[in-house]
C-alpha cells in the first residue's frame, strides 16, 4: 500500500474517504437517533435528480447533487412535520420523483455517454483534487453547524415536545438536521454511491451505540469506525480490483456482526 500512496488518485481517495467518514459519523448519529433513516434514504435517491440536472446544464456533478438534495430535504422536512402518519408515502414519492427526473435529464442530454454507475455504487478511485476541496468545505459546514447548535439539536433529537416548550424552534432544527443529512449524502456519493450511502450512515452508528453513552461520543466513535471501514475497503478494492463502495460496506457489515457476536459472549 505504501507504494500505492505515491499515486495522486490514491492520496485523493484516502483523504476523501476520511472526510466522508467524519461527515457520516456525525450525521449518521443524528439520523439514527432521530429515526429518520428512511428519510435520509429518500434524500439520497432524490439526489440523483441533481446529478441529472448537473449533466444537463453542464454543471459540476457534486454541486448539482448538493442543490437538489438540499431543496429535497427542505421540502421533505416541511411536509413530514405536518403529515407524520403519511411519511412513508411522501418519501416514496420523493424518492421515485428524484430518480425519474435524473434519468430523464440524462436521457435528453445530447452527446452524454459517461457511465453514471459510479454515482450509484461509488468510485472512490475517481475522486479528483477538486472533489477533495469540495468535500472539505462540506465537512467544515457540517462540523461548524453541529458545534454551534449542538444543544438545540440534542434537545430536538431526543424530546421535540420538551424542546418546543423551552422555546427551541423544532421546525428549524429538524430541517437543519435533514439538510445536514443531505450534505452528508452528497459527500458520500463518490465513495459508496447513492445506493449504499445509508449503510455508511447507519452501520458505524449502530456499532458506536455499543460504546457511547452520549451523542457527542457516538459521533466521534462513529467517525472512527467509518474511517476504518473506508480505509480497509479501499485497500481491498485496490488489491483485488473490486468495487470500492461495496468493499467498504462489506467490511462494515462484517465488523458489525463480529462485535455483536463478541458482545453476546
Amino acid at each position: 500500500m505504501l507504494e500505492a500512496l505515491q499515486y495522486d488518485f490514491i492520496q485523493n481517495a484516502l483523504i476523501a474517504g476520511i472526510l466522508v467518514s467524519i461527515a457520516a459519523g456525525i450525521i449518521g448519529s443524528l439520523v439514527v437517533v432521530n429515526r429518520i433513516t428512511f428519510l435520509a434514504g429518500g434524500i439520497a435517491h432524490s439526489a440523483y435528480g441533481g446529478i441529472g440536472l448537473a449533466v444537463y446544464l453542464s454543471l459540476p456533478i457534486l454541486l448539482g447533487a448538493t442543490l437538489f438534495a438540499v431543496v429535497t430535504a427542505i421540502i421533505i422536512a416541511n411536509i413530514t412535520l405536518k403529515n407524520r402518519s403519511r411519511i412513508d408515502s411522501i418519501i416514496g414519492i420523493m424518492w421515485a420523483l428524484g430518480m425519474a427526473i435524473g434519468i430523464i435529464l440524462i436521457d435528453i442530454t445530447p452527446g452524454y455517454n459517461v457511465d453514471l454507475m459510479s454515482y450509484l455504487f461509488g468510485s472512490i478511485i475517481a475522486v479528483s483534487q477538486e472533489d477533495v476541496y469540495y468535500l472539505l468545505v462540506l465537512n467544515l459546514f457540517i462540523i461548524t453547524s453541529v458545534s454551534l447548535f449542538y444543544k438545540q439539536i440534542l434537545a430536538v433529537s431526543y424530546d421535540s415536545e420538551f424542546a418546543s416548550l423551552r422555546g427551541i424552534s423544532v421546525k428549524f432544527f429538524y430541517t437543519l438536521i435533514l439538510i445536514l443529512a443531505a450534505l452528508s449524502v452528497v459527500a458520500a456519493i463518490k465513495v459508496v454511491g447513492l445506493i449504499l450511502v445509508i449503510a455508511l450512515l447507519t452501520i458505524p452508528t449502530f456499532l458506536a451505540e455499543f460504546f457511547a453513552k452520549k451523542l457527542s461520543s457516538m459521533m466521534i466513535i462513529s467517525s472512527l469506525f467509518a474511517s476504518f471501514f473506508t480505509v480497509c475497503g479501499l485497500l481491498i478494492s485496490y488489491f483485488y480490483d473490486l468495487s470500492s463502495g461495496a468493499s467498504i460496506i462489506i467490511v462494515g457489515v462484517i465488523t458489525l456482526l463480529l462485535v455483536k457476536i463478541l458482545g453476546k459472549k
Side-chain angles (χ1 to χ4, degrees):
M1 184 61 182
L2 291 177
E3 295 180 1
L5 287 175
Q6 64 181 309
Y7 299 111
D8 290 341
F9 70 92
I10 293 294
Q11 295 173 15
N12 290 338
L14 281 173
I15 295 171
I18 298 300
L19 290 173
V20 169
S21 298
I22 293 171
I26 295 172
I27 304 305
S29 299
L30 293 178
V31 167
V32 171
V33 167
N34 283 276
R35 298 180 181 179
I36 55 172
T37 302
F38 191 42
L39 271 71
I43 293 171
H45 289 79
S46 297
Y48 195 74
I51 293 174
L53 183 64
V55 170
Y56 184 73
L57 297 177
S58 299
L59 298 172
I61 296 293
L62 291 182
L63 176 60
T66 298
L67 295 175
F68 206 91
V70 168
V71 171
T72 301
I74 293 172
I75 293 172
I76 289 176
N78 280 278
I79 296 176
T80 55
L81 271 174
K82 300 176 182 178
N83 299 278
R84 292 273 185 174
S85 61
R86 304 302 300 273
I87 192 170
D88 54 343
S89 300
I90 294 167
I91 299 304
I93 293 170
M94 297 299 294
W95 182 317
L97 178 62
M99 293 290 289
I101 291 173
I103 292 170
I104 290 174
L105 287 174
I106 291 169
D107 285 342
I108 64 177
T109 301
Y112 192 80
N113 58 3
V114 175
D115 182 16
L116 290 170
M117 291 297 286
S118 63
Y119 295 104
L120 291 176
F121 299 101
S123 181
I124 194 172
I125 301 299
V127 172
S128 65
Q129 190 71 46
E130 289 74 20
D131 291 332
V132 171
Y133 291 141
Y134 194 78
L135 292 175
L136 179 60
V137 172
L138 288 182
N139 255 41
L140 289 174
F141 180 78
I142 290 170
I143 293 171
T144 302
S145 298
V146 173
S147 299
L148 287 175
F149 302 114
Y150 178 77
K151 291 183 179 179
Q152 294 90 333
I153 290 174
L154 181 67
V156 171
S157 297
Y158 283 99
D159 194 337
S160 59
E161 292 184 4
F162 176 75
S164 181
L165 292 174
R166 292 292 301 271
I168 297 173
S169 175
V170 174
K171 181 178 180 179
F172 173 80
F173 287 105
Y174 176 71
T175 304
L176 177 62
I177 290 171
L178 287 187
I179 289 175
L180 294 176
L183 295 177
S184 298
V185 164
V186 172
I189 286 177
K190 278 290 186 74
V191 178
V192 294
L194 293 176
I195 302 297
L196 302 175
V197 65
I198 296 305
L200 186 63
L201 288 175
T202 54
I203 293 175
T205 303
F206 288 149
L207 280 164
E209 286 181 324
F210 285 97
F211 310 99
K213 295 183 178 180
K214 55 184 181 179
L215 182 60
S216 57
S217 299
M218 186 186 298
M219 290 177 175
I220 295 171
I221 296 172
S222 295
S223 297
L224 292 174
F225 271 120
S227 298
F228 171 73
F229 301 157
T230 301
V231 173
C232 290
L234 181 58
L235 287 171
I236 293 171
S237 172
Y238 178 80
F239 286 112
Y240 296 99
D241 193 25
L242 299 173
S243 170
S244 58
S247 299
I248 291 167
I249 300 307
I250 290 296
V251 171
V253 172
I254 291 174
T255 305
L256 178 61
L257 292 175
L258 289 174
V259 170
K260 279 190 169 290
I261 292 171
L262 294 174
K264 289 181 180 179
K265 291 183 178 181

